[in-house]
Amino acid sequence: MDNRFATAFVIGCVLSLISTIYMAASIGTDFWYEYRSPIQENSSDSNKIAWEDFLGDEADEKTYNDVLFRYNGSLGLWRRCITIPKNTHWYTPPERTESFDVVTKCMSFTLNEQFMEKYVDPGNHNSGIDLLRTYLWRCQFLLPFVSLGLMCFGALIGLCACICRSLYPTIATGILHLLAGLCTLGSVSCYVAGIELLHQKVELPKDVSGEFGWSFCLACVSAPLQFMASALFIWAAHTNRKEYTLMKAYRVA
């Protein structure tokens, strides 16, 4: 094996490993999108009801999004989280002299919620099904797992190539990484589109801002790493095979 191809293969493996770690971290964390709002310092009846609704199993899309807006919520692929005071009290302190402790409460999305239909008017079951938002949500949930599975399968083929001491099977590894990159890019695009459509239907309060979190950024970085690894694998395998064929033809001649 030529040193050029071996170097390209090693660099491709490193890029693949980094992208796999980034993708796994983005799937497992809850900071794809974050809201910033003033912290509610008291635990009035309305606040307690909102927290209970958020942590309940039957919270609809409108209910939990309203709570996310008000309580510095963060949203992941699997869970939704809010930040509330740790030591709550029924009255509002007359004067706040120092910072108070807060705690993060999270609620996981069930599989039924992941595949549940989204409505034209969020929370209103009589408004009709919004097919676009429904399938965007399902794709943003499924595509990262497809991407991760393709990379793992590609890594298995690459391991077999190392055992066989041949670069030719890494063409399949490169193709799988290309498909994985497309899945990651599709997931990121679906997520952005879904968030924008949601905010068009449910406007943010004036004192609330939202931004994409670091989990989302990890997924965005993972996609180009997958494409670069794919290009290196395919180039190394194709060029090595081509040179081997030419050398074989030269020897025969």
Side-chain angles (χ1 to χ4, degrees):
M1 184 187 299
D2 194 297
N3 287 337
R4 295 174 300 161
F5 307 137
T7 302
F9 181 77
V10 171
I11 294 175
C13 289
V14 172
L15 293 176
S16 175
L17 178 61
I18 295 173
S19 66
T20 301
I21 293 173
Y22 282 3
M23 198 67 222
S26 69
I27 291 174
T29 50
D30 310 316
F31 300 95
W32 280 65
Y33 200 85
E34 299 176 81
Y35 296 100
R36 295 286 180 265
S37 60
I39 297 179
Q40 305 287 335
E41 298 185 33
N42 65 335
S43 56
S44 62
D45 290 340
S46 61
N47 287 341
K48 289 181 177 179
I49 292 174
W51 300 339
E52 291 174 358
D53 290 342
F54 178 85
L55 298 173
D57 295 331
E58 299 181 357
D60 58 36
E61 185 183 22
K62 180 68 165 57
T63 300
Y64 70 72
N65 273 299
D66 285 342
V67 180
L68 287 172
F69 296 162
R70 294 170 55 192
Y71 299 99
N72 290 288
S74 62
L75 194 62
L77 298 180
W78 277 97
R79 298 198 305 174
R80 54 185 188 267
C81 301
I82 55 173
T83 302
I84 60 176
K86 184 176 181 179
N87 298 317
T88 57
H89 37 264
W90 63 270
Y91 64 94
T92 301
E95 183 179 359
R96 177 180 166 187
T97 57
E98 58 182 9
S99 62
F100 55 92
D101 294 332
V102 294
V103 63
T104 300
K105 297 289 187 179
C106 296
M107 183 67 185
S108 299
F109 291 107
T110 64
L111 281 178
N112 287 335
E113 288 178 316
Q114 295 285 9
F115 293 98
M116 188 178 295
E117 293 85 359
K118 305 296 179 184
Y119 297 98
V120 175
D121 181 14
N124 183 1
H125 294 201
N126 297 321
S127 60
I129 298 175
D130 190 333
L131 291 178
L132 179 58
R133 290 201 309 117
T134 297
Y135 285 104
L136 284 175
W137 181 279
R138 293 175 181 177
C139 288
Q140 78 183 27
F141 166 68
L142 291 174
L143 287 178
F145 292 98
V146 175
S147 174
L148 203 57
L150 289 171
M151 284 192 292
C152 292
F153 188 51
L156 182 62
I157 295 177
L159 181 61
C160 294
C162 291
I163 295 175
C164 298
R165 295 184 179 182
S166 172
L167 277 176
Y168 192 65
T170 56
I171 288 182
T173 301
I175 293 173
L176 289 174
H177 276 71
L178 177 61
L179 295 175
L182 292 174
C183 288
T184 302
L185 190 61
S187 175
V188 168
S189 301
C190 289
Y191 195 86
V192 172
I195 287 291
E196 292 299 324
L197 289 173
L198 173 64
H199 290 168
Q200 289 178 9
K201 297 178 180 296
V202 183
E203 294 185 1
L204 293 177
K206 293 182 180 180
D207 57 348
V208 176
S209 61
E211 60 184 11
F212 291 100
W214 59 267
S215 300
F216 175 83
C217 294
L218 286 179
C220 292
V221 173
S222 179
L225 292 178
Q226 292 165 345
F227 288 133
M228 287 188 286
S230 171
L232 287 171
F233 287 140
I234 293 175
W235 174 82
H238 177 72
T239 308
N240 182 63
R241 182 70 176 181
K242 185 177 180 180
E243 289 194 3
Y244 174 78
T245 303
L246 291 175
M247 186 178 298
K248 186 176 181 180
Y250 175 76
R251 289 178 178 176
V252 170

